[in-house]
Amino acid sequence: MTAMLKLCWLVVCSALSVSSANPPHIVLIVADDLGWNDVSWNNPDISTPNLQDLASQGVILNSSYVMPVCSPTRGALLTGYYPYHLGLQHGIIKGDTPSFLTTTKSTVSEKLHDNGYTTHMVGKWHLGMCNWTYTPTYRGFDTSGGLLGGSAGHYDHMNGNGFDFRINTTVDHSYDGIHSTEAYTDIAINAINGQDPDKPMFLYLAYQAAHTPLETDPAYEAQYSSVVNDNRRIYSGMVTQMDDSVGRIRKALEDKGFLDNLVLVFISDNGGDVNNGGNNYPLRGSKSTYWEGGVRTPAFVYSKTHLDVTGYTQSNFLHAVDWYPTLLEVAGVSQSDNIDGVSQWDMIKSQGASARTEFVYNIDEIKNTAAIRVGSYKLTKGSPGSKSDIYDVPLTNRRRRAVRNRATSVKYRLFDIDADPTESRDLSRRLPDLVDQLKAKLDTLSATFTPAHVPAADSNGKPRNWGGVWTPGWCAGDL
């Protein structure tokens, strides 16, 4: 071996060993009900300077897809499986039902924990709480703090008639009267400050903002005093409040010395709820629908040192199921599970091609609805939106209008998303052969579904039985 080759070999091996010995800290931030048009890089009327700064120095993901509602997205995100393979395809997990994310699938937190990461979960869980087995500290997280259910008052932390705020497994009232965004940020900063700098950290920070109830500190609402619509004005304040909190998280990471070895991901769990202040313009539809506005959301990846190319927008698509293998690759953790997700790290890091050419929006055998994407074509089965097929197109910060489809008996719809991102032209009658091909593919995919797990409400889970607190411990079993 020549001296030059020997030197190159030593440099390469040294770099590999440093990478292996110093896996990056990973921060995964999930916003709640944040619409396409609810960030400043898509809408200058919204103030999100901290998010925009991180996004502009990283990679903006322009085709980041999630599920229409929150529990299915969170299940896909943490396991790498489509919800129709988890039994979560039919909707959200309700607190008084014995439903949960199955423990037969590993979570990314469990994988990272088993490979030396300290793991923290802060914020909204919404993946089951009828038994402790299905809660964060039993699913791979060393610590947790926040809401086990799906929604609660941002100040009183009351979910219906039950209190829902814990630090690890202990009911905690120390954040009563403090907005959930501020509370979760404080807990996350405490986790960062207490982190052993010699160990890699995985922080999963799932904000409640901007989910209902629409509540924000008055100073944030005042920034949007010109917005006439009450819901939109408060919602916008909630988004800016979350943005300020992301700035606080960044400062804590910098003060701890973590920014130089960090990968930070930001996504939303579904599209904006246009009936409650959200805005997905120009995309069609709302949260809870298969329209693009319900499932295509703002996202970016930031890193000072782990991205080969920065400051650009990546338009190739990525699905929520891809984050599980992607984050494991970032951490240098191998995985051999037969999951639905594929690692997109090369696409993100090096401006490469997407590792997938198709994905499943959802398959719901109870509603008899589904949607898939193959290349630029999207096939939907049944109604992609409400039963009346009315969808909302928010036109500005102040107003929106309802638009009705022409009467049609077509069970399947076909859209070319690249050419028609607003889904205004149904091509199913024009391209019947393509519809047949995609229907055949959908039938094949549908044959692999796990039946949706939709148990009835159980009075044993009511907070009145547990001192007015939502409390695990009243159900058993698994899927």
Side-chain angles (χ1 to χ4, degrees):
M1 182 181 293
T2 66
M4 181 62 71
L5 285 175
K6 184 178 293 185
L7 176 62
C8 292
W9 183 84
L10 288 172
V11 169
V12 170
C13 286
S14 175
L16 288 174
S17 64
V18 169
S19 174
S20 175
N22 296 285
H25 305 292
I26 299 172
V27 175
L28 172 60
I29 301 176
V30 179
D32 202 346
D33 292 2
L34 185 72
W36 179 260
N37 208 36
D38 294 330
V39 291
S40 54
W41 59 92
N42 290 334
N43 178 4
D45 291 333
I46 290 288
S47 177
T48 55
N50 293 291
L51 290 170
Q52 175 139 0
D53 187 57
L54 290 167
S56 65
Q57 294 184 55
V59 178
I60 293 174
L61 302 173
N62 216 35
S63 296
S64 173
Y65 285 89
V66 291
M67 305 304 297
V69 290
C70 41
S71 294
T73 291
R74 295 163 202 273
L77 184 67
L78 292 184
T79 67
Y81 286 90
Y82 289 123
Y84 79 97
H85 287 149
L86 298 170
L88 293 178
Q89 64 268 36
H90 189 59
I92 64 170
I93 291 174
K94 298 180 180 180
D96 61 353
T97 63
S99 52
F100 40 83
L101 174 65
T102 175
T103 58
T104 63
K105 311 295 187 188
S106 297
T107 63
V108 67
S109 48
E110 289 168 337
K111 289 284 191 180
L112 292 173
H113 183 273
D114 290 347
N115 284 274
Y117 272 75
T118 302
T119 53
H120 308 284
M121 191 276 151
V122 179
K124 172 176 167 177
W125 178 240
H126 208 191
L127 285 172
M129 59 174 178
C130 67
N131 190 294
W132 289 112
T133 304
Y134 313 125
T135 60
T137 53
Y138 291 79
R139 296 310 315 265
F141 290 101
D142 291 303
T143 71
S144 69
L147 171 74
L148 290 179
S151 69
H154 291 279
Y155 291 101
D156 63 14
H157 314 300
M158 291 292 292
N159 181 357
N161 60 356
F163 183 78
D164 192 1
F165 200 104
R166 292 175 183 270
I167 299 297
N168 298 321
T169 59
T170 302
V171 176
D172 189 279
H173 285 279
S174 63
Y175 294 96
D176 288 6
I178 298 174
H179 194 280
S180 69
T181 296
E182 308 296 340
Y184 298 158
T185 302
D186 288 349
I187 295 169
I189 289 174
N190 288 339
I192 293 167
N193 290 339
Q195 174 68 29
D196 181 348
D198 295 326
K199 292 190 67 175
M201 174 188 71
F202 173 52
L203 170 61
Y204 172 39
L205 174 55
Y207 283 114
Q208 271 179 259
H211 194 288
T212 54
L214 297 179
E215 297 174 326
T216 190
D217 289 354
Y220 288 104
E221 183 179 352
Q223 294 184 37
Y224 297 91
S225 59
S226 63
V227 177
V228 175
N229 182 277
D230 291 343
N231 283 353
R232 182 61 180 167
R233 185 176 61 255
I234 300 169
Y235 176 100
S236 299
M238 293 174 75
V239 173
T240 298
Q241 185 172 15
M242 178 179 64
D243 178 82
D244 276 359
S245 279
V246 171
R248 291 176 58 204
I249 295 294
R250 181 182 187 176
K251 178 67 163 53
L253 291 165
E254 183 177 23
D255 291 347
K256 188 71 173 180
F258 285 176
L259 278 190
D260 289 334
N261 189 25
L262 171 77
V263 173
L264 184 148
V265 176
F266 178 87
I267 67 169
S268 178
D269 65 341
N270 45 250
D273 182 350
V274 299
N275 294 307
N276 287 291
N279 191 313
N280 302 309
Y281 183 81
L283 302 180
R284 179 176 181 175
S286 178
K287 170 187 176 177
S288 304
T289 75
Y290 296 162
W291 300 117
E292 293 294 285
V295 293
R296 184 177 172 188
T297 65
F300 66 82
V301 175
Y302 165 82
S303 179
K304 288 178 64 176
T305 54
H306 294 281
L307 298 172
D308 297 336
V309 186
T310 59
Y312 79 98
T313 297
Q314 173 60 265
S315 295
N316 292 326
F317 51 65
L318 171 152
H319 192 274
V321 295
D322 297 335
W323 287 114
Y324 175 96
T326 299
L327 296 182
L328 290 183
E329 183 173 350
V330 168
V333 176
S334 62
Q335 75 87 25
S336 58
D337 298 331
N338 186 28
I339 59 174
D340 296 315
V342 292
S343 176
Q344 300 280 20
W345 187 230
D346 181 69
M347 180 191 84
I348 296 167
K349 178 174 69 76
S350 304
Q351 204 172 0
S354 176
R356 63 166 64 251
T357 58
E358 58 188 55
F359 64 85
V360 178
Y361 288 87
N362 197 29
I363 297 172
D364 185 339
E365 80 281 10
I366 295 176
K367 292 181 180 177
N368 195 25
T369 60
I372 60 171
R373 178 82 171 269
V374 178
S376 66
Y377 288 102
K378 175 179 180 177
L379 181 78
T380 66
K381 175 185 178 183
S383 172
S386 65
K387 291 181 180 179
S388 62
D389 209 21
I390 293 177
Y391 66 100
D392 294 299
V393 181
L395 296 180
T396 70
N397 275 356
R398 299 186 181 184
R399 60 193 175 93
R400 60 182 176 82
R401 70 180 181 186
V403 182
R404 186 183 297 273
N405 270 1
R406 295 176 179 176
T408 175
S409 60
V410 177
K411 187 176 183 181
Y412 291 87
R413 295 176 176 87
L414 179 69
F415 301 97
D416 183 343
I417 299 301
D418 288 350
D420 177 28
T422 60
E423 299 171 287
S424 61
R425 297 185 296 276
D426 180 2
L427 304 175
S428 59
R429 293 182 180 178
R430 190 181 306 175
L431 300 172
D433 291 343
L434 180 56
V435 171
D436 288 342
Q437 292 175 28
L438 295 180
K439 284 170 63 177
K441 177 175 282 291
L442 177 58
D443 288 344
T444 299
L445 292 166
S446 298
T448 68
F449 81 96
T450 296
H453 185 58
V454 191
D458 188 329
S459 61
N460 290 319
K462 300 290 186 182
R464 65 173 180 263
N465 300 316
W466 304 90
V469 177
W470 289 98
T471 303
W474 52 271
C475 80
D478 204 343
L479 299 179

